[in-house]
Amino acid sequence: MEEIMSVPNGPVAVITGSSRGIGAAIAERLSEEGCRVVINYIHSEPLANQLAGKLSQKGFPAIACQGDVGNRDDRQRLLETTLKAFGRIDILVNNAGITSQGRKDILDSTEDSWDLVFDTNLKGPFFLSQLAARQMRLQVDSHPRVIVNINSVSSYAVSENRADYCIAKAGLEMMTKLFASRLADDGIFVYEVCPGVINSDMTAPVKEKYDNLIANGLTPIKRWGTCDDVATAVQLLTSGKLAFTTGERLNVDGGFHIRRI
């Protein structure tokens, strides 16, 4: 579903890993805010095309584009497909991510898992942001230009069976600050959203564990977060209303980040 469409002149948003879950919620929300969206997926072609079709039927221009953000050629193709369809890119949401393969103890973790997790969760977002920023710098008009990195409380909260995931997410925090600093003079804003325990495909295998933790006070707000909670945060950050803020983290974690005694 990579066709040129006759569309209004709304901002163009690319959301990686957006065929389902948090990414799909973000794509829907930004569409409702007037964005033309590119739904990126790696394996879930039917879901991506279904979402793009659903949005298009509502009058929200959308296309689906396959691509692994950890792959150089796929990142380039994602950018080229976006420009072919819409002629620009105003918003990049680096949402695609995978958890540690096998969730092995730190003493048993493997280089294969490390490489896969880092390619998807850190290297991919870095170099896709680089491509997007180069294009955004050529666009000087009324649309806000924003990069949002979807991070995790695992960037600072230790999980000994997900070392590669935690370290990659910690790197994403520094990446946010680096791009925010570099792109400020260009009027391009960079933020990160830090979800906590969100009800999604990724957390399904540990649902019972977190049901109990939440009930016992893991977070001040005693409920699971939703994909819509994260989408609301992205909506705010991409609205252009925070014109004196960049490099900032917005926690969507029920207050998990608050240190309590």
Side-chain angles (χ1 to χ4, degrees):
M1 197 168 180
E2 300 177 3
E3 60 188 39
I4 299 176
M5 304 177 66
S6 176
V7 297
N9 295 319
V12 175
V14 175
I15 306 100
T16 65
S18 51
S19 63
R20 58 188 181 181
I22 289 173
I26 293 169
E28 290 200 56
R29 184 65 62 85
L30 294 185
S31 289
E32 293 167 357
E33 291 297 303
C35 291
R36 298 170 281 171
V37 302
V38 178
I39 298 160
N40 162 251
Y41 66 96
I42 184 169
H43 299 303
S44 303
E45 181 176 7
L47 288 176
N49 286 334
Q50 181 180 357
L51 178 57
K54 172 186 173 183
L55 296 177
S56 297
Q57 288 174 4
K58 290 182 176 181
F60 304 138
I63 62 168
C65 180
Q66 192 279 337
D68 178 356
V69 298
N71 180 281
R72 177 187 306 174
D73 293 338
D74 284 9
R75 290 192 297 269
Q76 184 65 41
R77 181 163 51 81
L78 177 56
L79 178 67
E80 291 173 357
T81 299
T82 301
L83 296 180
K84 180 182 178 182
F86 298 128
R88 59 187 299 122
I89 176 172
D90 303 284
I91 296 166
L92 171 63
V93 182
N94 286 308
N95 170 73
I98 58 173
T99 192
S100 184
Q101 304 302 286
R103 294 176 178 260
K104 295 183 178 180
D105 181 86
I106 190 170
L107 299 182
D108 298 315
S109 59
T110 67
E111 289 192 38
D112 287 343
S113 177
W114 182 283
D115 291 342
L116 183 60
V117 170
F118 265 70
D119 283 353
T120 305
N121 293 8
L122 186 56
K123 188 179 84 170
F126 180 93
F127 286 104
L128 185 56
S129 296
Q130 185 185 77
L131 288 173
R134 289 171 177 167
Q135 174 62 31
M136 289 178 184
R137 293 179 76 205
L138 302 176
Q139 302 167 186
V140 182
D141 54 29
S142 59
H143 291 317
R145 293 163 296 162
V146 182
I147 297 172
V148 179
N149 298 316
I150 305 300
N151 206 330
S152 169
V153 294
S154 293
S155 63
Y156 61 85
V158 168
S159 295
E160 293 176 6
N161 63 346
R162 295 189 302 154
D164 42 13
Y165 182 80
C166 292
I167 296 170
K169 288 299 188 179
L172 196 61
E173 179 181 8
M174 178 54 71
M175 175 189 139
T176 299
K177 294 175 180 177
L178 285 164
F179 273 96
S181 176
R182 175 63 179 83
L183 298 175
D185 283 346
D186 297 297
I188 300 170
F189 300 99
V190 186
Y191 310 103
E192 68 174 2
V193 173
C194 197
V197 182
I198 304 297
N199 190 1
S200 69
D201 292 347
M202 186 177 287
T203 55
V206 289
K207 184 178 186 304
E208 184 176 355
K209 169 187 173 180
Y210 281 105
D211 280 343
N212 292 329
L213 287 172
I214 291 169
N216 289 317
L218 176 69
T219 55
I221 301 174
K222 293 182 175 63
R223 68 167 175 86
W224 282 77
T226 69
C227 295
D228 282 341
D229 289 326
V230 182
T232 298
V234 175
Q235 174 189 347
L236 171 63
L237 294 174
T238 58
S239 67
K241 295 178 180 178
L242 302 179
F244 198 52
T245 303
T246 194
E248 188 57 82
R249 163 180 283 181
L250 180 52
N251 291 294
V252 185
D253 64 355
F256 175 81
H257 66 281
I258 302 170
R259 299 183 68 175
R260 296 179 292 167
I261 56 174

